[in-house]
Amino acid sequence: SYDLIQPPSVSVSPGQTVSISCSGDKLGGKFASWYQQKPGQSPGLVIYEDKRRPSGIPERFSGSNSGNTATLTISGAQAMDEAEYFCQAWDSRAVLFGGGTKLSVL
Amino acid sequence: QEQVVESGGGLVKPGGSLRLSCVASGFVFSDYDMHWVRQAPGKGLEWVSYITSSSSTIYYADSVKGRFTISRDNARNSLYLRMDSLRAEDAAIYYCARGGGYSYGDAFDMWGQGTMVTVSS
């Protein structure tokens, strides 16, 4: 079966840049999306089609996808960015989510 | 305001059945593919099922295939998930999510608040 692998947790200091990876076989050949989920809330879309931002998502959120790895980057992280982040892609007739990465802004 | 609202969750015994509903408002429901996604307490997201706008194509996760049935009624702006032969591992918050359509492609651009399903004797 196809899996998307994310690190369980990452941390960043306020104002610094952090990247979260999502690895899967030939993931670069698929479209990757990213979701942010804060405690007690539903997930929300922050990146789609590898690098596009929905309206209302701050410019500090960016994405890339090449080879076997998709990456979500937050440039100038803020306390409000502390959340869990999930990557997502389609594989044939199924949708896959990564296991999630908890971002701490310390 | 565009939104989807789930209902129908609750406590059910192992082997039992439940039907979840999701009502859409603020957008043309019949234009969008829809999904069910679940999240067990303290765990990650797990995709459950997908249905196209016309119901012509349906997919299921292997973990629910043969037990769950997705359907929709575009006249009622509603999405459903019939869950049979429920197991303890099916306990989760179940989210209704909208497929991204022309604007957001493969992504899920709208999520409901979720409905909790508990499976316990």
Side-chain angles (χ1 to χ4, degrees), chain B residues 1 6 12 14-15 17 21-24 33 37 43 45 60 64 67 71 85 93 95 99 102 106-107 110 113 115:
Chain B
Q1 178 188 1
E6 305 93 335
V12 61
S17 299
S21 299
C22 167
V23 177
D33 300 343
V37 178
K43 302 297 184 182
L45 301 173
Y60 296 99
V64 306
R67 300 187 299 122
S71 62
S85 304
I93 297 172
Y95 295 103
Y102 292 110
D106 290 347
M110 181 189 301
Q113 86 289 347
T115 187

Side-chain angles (χ1 to χ4, degrees), chain A residues 54-82:
Chain A
S55 59
I57 299 301
E59 290 185 7
R60 64 180 181 274
F61 288 87
S62 63
S64 64
N65 186 14
S66 179
N68 295 322
T69 305
T71 303
L72 172 69
T73 300
I74 306 173
S75 304
Q78 300 185 9
M80 68 176 67
D81 301 331
E82 187 161 288

